[in-house]
Amino acid sequence: MKPLLFLILLPLVDLSAQAQKRTAPASQLVWINQVAVQNKVNVLVVDYVTMLTGSRAVKAAREAGDAEFEDKHNGDTTWYVPNDFYIENKSRKLRTLPVADSCAIQLIRVGGTRLYKSDLAQLKKGYAGNLYRLEIVLGKIVKLTEVYTP
Protein backbone atom coordinates (compact mmCIF):
# COMPACT_ATOMS: atom_id res chain seq x y z
CA MET A 1 0.00 0.00 0.00
CA LYS A 2 2.80 2.47 0.86
CA PRO A 3 4.56 2.24 -2.57
CA LEU A 4 1.26 3.00 -4.33
CA LEU A 5 0.62 6.03 -2.12
CA PHE A 6 4.17 7.27 -2.81
CA LEU A 7 3.58 7.02 -6.57
CA ILE A 8 0.34 8.95 -6.26
CA LEU A 9 1.86 11.73 -4.11
CA LEU A 10 5.14 12.08 -6.05
CA PRO A 11 3.63 14.13 -8.92
CA LEU A 12 1.94 16.44 -6.38
CA VAL A 13 5.26 17.13 -4.65
CA ASP A 14 6.85 17.91 -8.03
CA LEU A 15 4.05 20.36 -8.93
CA SER A 16 4.47 22.11 -5.58
CA ALA A 17 8.22 22.50 -6.15
CA GLN A 18 7.59 23.91 -9.62
CA ALA A 19 5.06 26.41 -8.24
CA GLN A 20 7.52 27.55 -5.56
CA LYS A 21 10.25 27.97 -8.18
CA ARG A 22 7.98 30.19 -10.30
CA THR A 23 7.11 32.42 -7.33
CA ALA A 24 10.65 32.63 -5.93
CA PRO A 25 12.23 35.97 -6.84
CA ALA A 26 14.70 35.92 -9.70
CA SER A 27 17.52 38.41 -9.26
CA GLN A 28 18.90 40.25 -12.29
CA LEU A 29 21.40 43.08 -12.79
CA VAL A 30 20.26 45.65 -15.35
CA TRP A 31 20.84 49.00 -17.00
CA ILE A 32 17.55 50.87 -17.19
CA ASN A 33 16.85 52.20 -20.66
CA GLN A 34 13.48 53.80 -19.90
CA VAL A 35 10.91 54.32 -17.12
CA ALA A 36 7.49 54.50 -18.77
CA VAL A 37 3.77 53.84 -18.56
CA GLN A 38 2.19 51.37 -20.98
CA ASN A 39 -1.53 50.63 -20.87
CA LYS A 40 -1.76 52.40 -17.48
CA VAL A 41 0.97 50.14 -16.03
CA ASN A 42 4.39 51.38 -14.90
CA VAL A 43 7.13 49.54 -16.77
CA LEU A 44 10.89 49.54 -16.98
CA VAL A 45 12.67 48.89 -20.26
CA VAL A 46 15.88 47.17 -19.19
CA ASP A 47 19.04 45.62 -20.57
CA TYR A 48 20.31 42.54 -18.66
CA VAL A 49 24.01 42.65 -17.72
CA THR A 50 26.51 40.61 -15.72
CA MET A 51 29.02 41.92 -13.19
CA LEU A 52 32.36 40.13 -13.27
CA THR A 53 35.31 40.43 -10.90
CA GLY A 54 38.88 39.19 -10.77
CA SER A 55 40.38 37.24 -13.66
CA ARG A 56 36.97 36.71 -15.29
CA ALA A 57 36.49 40.49 -15.41
CA VAL A 58 39.92 41.04 -16.96
CA LYS A 59 39.38 38.30 -19.53
CA ALA A 60 35.95 39.65 -20.59
CA ALA A 61 37.24 43.24 -20.71
CA ARG A 62 40.23 42.20 -22.84
CA GLU A 63 37.94 40.35 -25.26
CA ALA A 64 35.76 43.48 -25.53
CA GLY A 65 38.76 45.79 -25.87
CA ASP A 66 37.94 47.52 -22.58
CA ALA A 67 40.79 46.30 -20.33
CA GLU A 68 43.47 48.66 -19.08
CA PHE A 69 47.13 47.69 -19.09
CA GLU A 70 50.41 48.70 -17.54
CA ASP A 71 53.80 48.00 -19.09
CA LYS A 72 56.40 46.94 -16.55
CA HIS A 73 60.07 47.89 -16.78
CA ASN A 74 60.99 44.29 -17.61
CA GLY A 75 58.73 44.31 -20.69
CA ASP A 76 55.81 42.42 -19.13
CA THR A 77 52.27 43.77 -19.51
CA THR A 78 49.80 43.64 -16.65
CA TRP A 79 46.12 43.75 -17.66
CA TYR A 80 43.46 44.96 -15.24
CA VAL A 81 40.02 46.54 -14.92
CA PRO A 82 39.46 49.59 -12.69
CA ASN A 83 38.05 48.79 -9.25
CA ASP A 84 38.35 45.04 -10.05
CA PHE A 85 34.94 44.72 -11.69
CA TYR A 86 33.61 44.75 -15.24
CA ILE A 87 30.02 45.02 -16.42
CA GLU A 88 29.53 42.62 -19.31
CA ASN A 89 26.70 43.19 -21.75
CA LYS A 90 26.79 40.47 -24.40
CA SER A 91 23.25 41.08 -25.64
CA ARG A 92 21.65 44.46 -26.28
CA LYS A 93 18.19 42.88 -26.12
CA LEU A 94 15.79 45.14 -24.24
CA ARG A 95 13.04 43.73 -22.05
CA THR A 96 9.93 45.55 -20.90
CA LEU A 97 8.92 44.51 -17.39
CA PRO A 98 5.90 45.71 -15.40
CA VAL A 99 6.55 47.22 -11.98
CA ALA A 100 4.39 45.81 -9.16
CA ASP A 101 2.35 48.45 -7.31
CA SER A 102 4.02 47.32 -4.09
CA CYS A 103 7.55 47.43 -5.56
CA ALA A 104 10.20 48.37 -3.00
CA ILE A 105 12.67 50.86 -4.49
CA GLN A 106 16.02 51.72 -2.92
CA LEU A 107 18.33 54.28 -4.49
CA ILE A 108 21.70 55.84 -3.67
CA ARG A 109 21.92 59.60 -3.16
CA VAL A 110 24.19 61.41 -5.62
CA GLY A 111 27.73 61.29 -4.27
CA GLY A 112 26.78 58.81 -1.56
CA THR A 113 27.04 55.09 -0.97
CA ARG A 114 24.04 54.36 1.28
CA LEU A 115 20.63 53.23 0.10
CA TYR A 116 17.42 55.08 0.92
CA LYS A 117 13.77 54.21 0.35
CA SER A 118 12.48 55.89 -2.78
CA ASP A 119 9.85 55.72 -5.52
CA LEU A 120 9.39 55.65 -9.30
CA ALA A 121 9.28 59.46 -9.53
CA GLN A 122 12.78 59.71 -8.04
CA LEU A 123 14.02 56.85 -10.19
CA LYS A 124 12.73 58.59 -13.30
CA LYS A 125 14.77 61.71 -12.48
CA GLY A 126 18.15 59.99 -12.60
CA TYR A 127 18.35 56.34 -13.64
CA ALA A 128 20.67 56.67 -16.64
CA GLY A 129 24.13 55.19 -16.29
CA ASN A 130 23.42 53.50 -12.97
CA LEU A 131 23.38 49.79 -12.25
CA TYR A 132 20.36 48.15 -10.61
CA ARG A 133 19.41 44.77 -9.19
CA LEU A 134 15.84 43.70 -9.86
CA GLU A 135 13.88 41.06 -7.99
CA ILE A 136 11.31 39.62 -10.40
CA VAL A 137 8.39 37.39 -9.43
CA LEU A 138 6.00 36.01 -12.03
CA GLY A 139 7.34 38.49 -14.59
CA LYS A 140 6.83 41.58 -12.39
CA ILE A 141 9.46 43.70 -10.68
CA VAL A 142 8.83 43.49 -6.93
CA LYS A 143 12.08 45.08 -5.73
CA LEU A 144 14.58 47.47 -7.31
CA THR A 145 17.89 48.28 -5.66
CA GLU A 146 20.55 50.57 -7.05
CA VAL A 147 24.00 48.95 -6.97
CA TYR A 148 26.92 51.06 -5.79
CA THR A 149 29.74 51.22 -8.34
CA PRO A 150 32.84 53.29 -7.55
Side-chain angles (χ1 to χ4, degrees):
M1 183 72 169
K2 287 183 182 181
L4 182 59
L5 181 61
F6 175 76
L7 289 175
I8 292 171
L9 292 178
L10 185 59
L12 296 176
V13 171
D14 186 47
L15 288 174
S16 175
Q18 288 176 8
Q20 285 178 347
K21 188 175 181 181
R22 283 192 302 268
T23 58
S27 182
Q28 180 63 54
L29 286 173
V30 301
W31 297 121
I32 297 176
N33 186 271
Q34 184 179 18
V35 180
V37 176
Q38 292 181 355
N39 299 322
K40 298 181 182 178
V41 175
N42 290 310
V43 298
L44 298 183
V45 179
V46 299
D47 189 1
Y48 285 9
V49 297
T50 304
M51 180 186 280
L52 303 171
T53 59
S55 61
R56 291 181 60 208
V58 173
K59 181 180 180 204
R62 284 189 69 184
E63 289 172 359
D66 293 334
E68 310 261 340
F69 65 92
E70 182 179 315
D71 288 325
K72 301 291 183 178
H73 296 295
N74 63 2
D76 287 345
T77 300
T78 302
W79 292 91
Y80 66 96
V81 291
N83 300 307
D84 194 39
F85 75 91
Y86 180 70
I87 306 298
E88 184 178 56
N89 189 3
K90 288 188 174 182
S91 168
R92 302 285 184 199
K93 177 181 177 182
L94 297 178
R95 294 161 174 86
T96 302
L97 300 171
V99 179
D101 291 337
S102 61
C103 181
I105 297 176
Q106 293 184 310
L107 302 177
I108 299 171
R109 294 192 197 287
V110 175
T113 59
R114 299 185 70 189
L115 293 168
Y116 70 96
K117 186 177 178 179
S118 192
D119 56 28
L120 277 175
Q122 279 299 115
L123 178 67
K124 200 171 197 173
K125 290 180 182 177
Y127 60 85
N130 299 329
L131 183 65
Y132 300 90
R133 178 171 304 283
L134 303 181
E135 301 274 333
I136 304 165
V137 175
L138 297 173
K140 277 191 172 185
I141 301 168
V142 296
K143 185 176 181 183
L144 179 146
T145 307
E146 187 173 353
V147 177
Y148 174 74
T149 53

